[in-house]
PDB file of all heavy atoms in Angstrom:
ATOM      1  N   ALA A  18     157.301  53.779 128.425  1.00  0.00           N
ATOM      2  CA  ALA A  18     158.337  53.607 129.460  1.00  0.00           C
ATOM      3  C   ALA A  18     159.438  52.715 128.982  1.00  0.00           C
ATOM      4  O   ALA A  18     160.670  53.010 129.213  1.00  0.00           O
ATOM      5  CB  ALA A  18     157.671  52.950 130.739  1.00  0.00           C
ATOM      6  N   TYR A  19     159.172  51.637 128.328  1.00  0.00           N
ATOM      7  CA  TYR A  19     160.203  50.720 127.815  1.00  0.00           C
ATOM      8  C   TYR A  19     161.095  51.489 126.747  1.00  0.00           C
ATOM      9  O   TYR A  19     162.308  51.298 126.725  1.00  0.00           O
ATOM     10  CB  TYR A  19     159.651  49.510 127.111  1.00  0.00           C
ATOM     11  CG  TYR A  19     158.909  48.564 128.101  1.00  0.00           C
ATOM     12  CD1 TYR A  19     157.693  48.001 127.845  1.00  0.00           C
ATOM     13  CD2 TYR A  19     159.508  48.227 129.340  1.00  0.00           C
ATOM     14  CE1 TYR A  19     157.011  47.142 128.679  1.00  0.00           C
ATOM     15  CE2 TYR A  19     158.859  47.344 130.255  1.00  0.00           C
ATOM     16  CZ  TYR A  19     157.614  46.839 129.862  1.00  0.00           C
ATOM     17  OH  TYR A  19     156.969  45.994 130.750  1.00  0.00           O
ATOM     18  N   THR A  20     160.456  52.328 125.994  1.00  0.00           N
ATOM     19  CA  THR A  20     161.193  53.110 125.020  1.00  0.00           C
ATOM     20  C   THR A  20     162.189  54.046 125.738  1.00  0.00           C
ATOM     21  O   THR A  20     163.342  54.207 125.265  1.00  0.00           O
ATOM     22  CB  THR A  20     160.248  53.967 124.163  1.00  0.00           C
ATOM     23  OG1 THR A  20     159.367  53.075 123.484  1.00  0.00           O
ATOM     24  CG2 THR A  20     160.995  54.828 123.116  1.00  0.00           C
ATOM     25  N   GLU A  21     161.781  54.673 126.815  1.00  0.00           N
ATOM     26  CA  GLU A  21     162.651  55.567 127.561  1.00  0.00           C
ATOM     27  C   GLU A  21     163.820  54.747 128.104  1.00  0.00           C
ATOM     28  O   GLU A  21     164.978  55.262 128.149  1.00  0.00           O
ATOM     29  CB  GLU A  21     161.867  56.230 128.748  1.00  0.00           C
ATOM     30  CG  GLU A  21     161.022  57.338 128.326  1.00  0.00           C
ATOM     31  CD  GLU A  21     161.822  58.470 127.556  1.00  0.00           C
ATOM     32  OE1 GLU A  21     162.842  58.951 128.109  1.00  0.00           O
ATOM     33  OE2 GLU A  21     161.387  58.865 126.475  1.00  0.00           O
ATOM     34  N   GLY A  22     163.554  53.514 128.556  1.00  0.00           N
ATOM     35  CA  GLY A  22     164.621  52.630 129.020  1.00  0.00           C
ATOM     36  C   GLY A  22     165.597  52.360 127.942  1.00  0.00           C
ATOM     37  O   GLY A  22     166.882  52.397 128.146  1.00  0.00           O
ATOM     38  N   LEU A  23     165.166  52.073 126.712  1.00  0.00           N
ATOM     39  CA  LEU A  23     166.030  51.824 125.556  1.00  0.00           C
ATOM     40  C   LEU A  23     166.843  53.016 125.196  1.00  0.00           C
ATOM     41  O   LEU A  23     168.026  52.850 124.721  1.00  0.00           O
ATOM     42  CB  LEU A  23     165.215  51.278 124.368  1.00  0.00           C
ATOM     43  CG  LEU A  23     164.698  49.892 124.527  1.00  0.00           C
ATOM     44  CD1 LEU A  23     163.577  49.578 123.472  1.00  0.00           C
ATOM     45  CD2 LEU A  23     165.791  48.890 124.381  1.00  0.00           C
ATOM     46  N   ARG A  24     166.327  54.185 125.387  1.00  0.00           N
ATOM     47  CA  ARG A  24     167.006  55.439 124.981  1.00  0.00           C
ATOM     48  C   ARG A  24     168.223  55.656 125.837  1.00  0.00           C
ATOM     49  O   ARG A  24     169.178  56.402 125.518  1.00  0.00           O
ATOM     50  CB  ARG A  24     166.131  56.650 125.081  1.00  0.00           C
ATOM     51  CG  ARG A  24     165.123  56.743 123.839  1.00  0.00           C
ATOM     52  CD  ARG A  24     164.181  57.845 124.033  1.00  0.00           C
ATOM     53  NE  ARG A  24     163.336  58.022 122.837  1.00  0.00           N
ATOM     54  CZ  ARG A  24     162.198  58.675 122.836  1.00  0.00           C
ATOM     55  NH1 ARG A  24     161.716  59.265 123.921  1.00  0.00           N
ATOM     56  NH2 ARG A  24     161.470  58.733 121.748  1.00  0.00           N
ATOM     57  N   LYS A  25     168.271  55.026 127.046  1.00  0.00           N
ATOM     58  CA  LYS A  25     169.416  55.208 127.925  1.00  0.00           C
ATOM     59  C   LYS A  25     170.678  54.494 127.434  1.00  0.00           C
ATOM     60  O   LYS A  25     171.794  54.782 127.826  1.00  0.00           O
ATOM     61  CB  LYS A  25     169.098  54.686 129.373  1.00  0.00           C
ATOM     62  CG  LYS A  25     167.958  55.335 129.981  1.00  0.00           C
ATOM     63  CD  LYS A  25     168.263  56.846 130.309  1.00  0.00           C
ATOM     64  CE  LYS A  25     167.094  57.534 130.978  1.00  0.00           C
ATOM     65  NZ  LYS A  25     167.322  58.978 131.104  1.00  0.00           N
ATOM     66  N   ARG A  26     170.459  53.492 126.489  1.00  0.00           N
ATOM     67  CA  ARG A  26     171.568  52.855 125.864  1.00  0.00           C
ATOM     68  C   ARG A  26     172.581  52.306 126.953  1.00  0.00           C
ATOM     69  O   ARG A  26     173.692  52.752 126.999  1.00  0.00           O
ATOM     70  CB  ARG A  26     172.281  53.665 124.857  1.00  0.00           C
ATOM     71  CG  ARG A  26     171.308  54.130 123.697  1.00  0.00           C
ATOM     72  CD  ARG A  26     172.059  54.750 122.575  1.00  0.00           C
ATOM     73  NE  ARG A  26     171.113  55.272 121.570  1.00  0.00           N
ATOM     74  CZ  ARG A  26     170.543  54.524 120.682  1.00  0.00           C
ATOM     75  NH1 ARG A  26     170.720  53.215 120.650  1.00  0.00           N
ATOM     76  NH2 ARG A  26     169.706  55.046 119.782  1.00  0.00           N
ATOM     77  N   CYS A  27     172.089  51.447 127.838  1.00  0.00           N
ATOM     78  CA  CYS A  27     172.904  50.987 128.970  1.00  0.00           C
ATOM     79  C   CYS A  27     174.053  50.086 128.503  1.00  0.00           C
ATOM     80  O   CYS A  27     174.917  49.737 129.308  1.00  0.00           O
ATOM     81  CB  CYS A  27     172.024  50.282 129.940  1.00  0.00           C
ATOM     82  SG  CYS A  27     171.299  48.767 129.276  1.00  0.00           S
TER      83      CYS A  27
END
Side-chain angles (χ1 to χ4, degrees):
Y19 294 135
T20 299
E21 284 301 309
L23 286 165
R24 283 177 176 160
K25 298 297 180 184
R26 302 191 184 281
C27 64

